[in-house]
Amino acid sequence: AKIGGDREKIANDLLRYLDTDTLLVFSPRHEYEGALRESQDAFYIPIIKSVEGFLKKYASSEIKLRILDSDVNGLRGNNQEKNTIDAAKRYLDTLSLWNLAVFEKTVLTTKSFICGILMLQNKASLDTVTALEVDMEKIVKAATLETIHQVERWGEVEDTHDVDKRDVRRNIHAAGIVAYNERA
């Protein structure tokens, strides 16, 4: 067995999240009186655009992440273009073992390849622990936006919503601490 696992297998497993990425699945506009979709549009679209720009550095042509819009596409599967997948793979190939581990933890926690990119790109430009804390909360919010809206509408289910949110926050902050310390 290779130290740190098989990088190729890890990368291929992570690349699958591009098709089902939490930040690329948009709810119908009629749900939650449109509030969730409005939040997704406002919060996710700028993140998606920035990640497209980031991945372009690893591509031979423009990157356009495909969004699964429930109003347009229903619930059919989402498939990213080969150019996007190839660029994402080239990016993963540049990561150190530590950063790949941080990336994997973030993706598995958030169900989002995009959040993995955010984790490592945000930490690359941070100067303070306070800035790290803000960025970790942005990733937690991105990963739990639908649950936030459910709780606002229906209330929090004790020992479910609160535990899930704490688990996501704990895992994201742990990954962030490793990422931040690896940079130093």
Side-chain angles (χ1 to χ4, degrees), residues 1-10 97 100:
K2 296 179 185 176
I3 294 176
D6 181 347
R7 277 190 74 109
E8 195 68 22
K9 181 181 177 340
I10 293 168
L97 282 177
L100 183 61

Side-chain angles (χ1 to χ4, degrees), residues 83-101:
N83 180 47
T84 301
I85 293 168
D86 290 347
K89 174 67 166 76
R90 282 192 283 281
Y91 167 65
L92 290 177
D93 289 344
T94 69
L95 299 180
S96 69
L97 282 177
W98 276 109
N99 280 342
L100 183 61

Side-chain angles (χ1 to χ4, degrees), residues 101-116:
V102 167
F103 190 91
E104 181 181 40
K105 181 67 167 178
T106 303
V107 171
L108 295 178
T109 298
T110 62
K111 310 297 185 247
S112 171
F113 194 93
I114 290 172
C115 284

Side-chain angles (χ1 to χ4, degrees), residues 48-176:
I48 291 166
K49 295 295 177 205
S50 72
V51 168
E52 288 171 342
F54 173 76
L55 285 176
K56 187 177 183 329
K57 295 184 279 189
Y58 301 91
S60 55
S61 61
E62 286 298 312
I63 296 292
K64 181 74 175 141
L65 289 165
R66 290 182 177 166
I67 293 170
L68 182 61
D69 182 336
S70 298
D71 284 334
V72 176
N73 310 116
L75 293 176
R76 69 150 178 80
N78 195 18
N79 291 353
Q80 298 302 325
E81 294 177 2
K82 184 177 182 340
N83 180 47
T84 301
I85 293 168
D86 290 347
K89 174 67 166 76
R90 282 192 283 281
Y91 167 65
L92 290 177
D93 289 344
T94 69
L95 299 180
S96 69
L97 282 177
W98 276 109
N99 280 342
L100 183 61
V102 167
F103 190 91
E104 181 181 40
K105 181 67 167 178
T106 303
V107 171
L108 295 178
T109 298
T110 62
K111 310 297 185 247
S112 171
F113 194 93
I114 290 172
C115 284
I117 291 174
L118 290 178
M119 173 68 77
L120 294 181
Q121 292 318 297
N122 285 342
K123 75 98 179 181
S125 61
L126 294 176
D127 293 324
T128 68
V129 174
T130 304
L132 179 69
E133 178 77 19
V134 169
D135 283 337
M136 297 309 95
E137 287 306 310
K138 178 180 179 181
I139 292 169
V140 170
K141 179 181 176 184
T144 60
L145 195 58
E146 185 171 358
T147 303
I148 291 167
H149 279 269
Q150 288 174 358
V151 168
E152 284 175 2
R153 182 171 186 167
W154 304 109
E156 186 171 76
V157 176
E158 195 174 329
D159 291 332
T160 301
H161 291 127
D162 55 338
V163 172
D164 290 346
K165 188 172 183 181
R166 278 196 305 271
D167 282 347
V168 169
R169 181 174 278 121
R170 178 177 42 81
N171 283 316
I172 292 302
H173 283 266

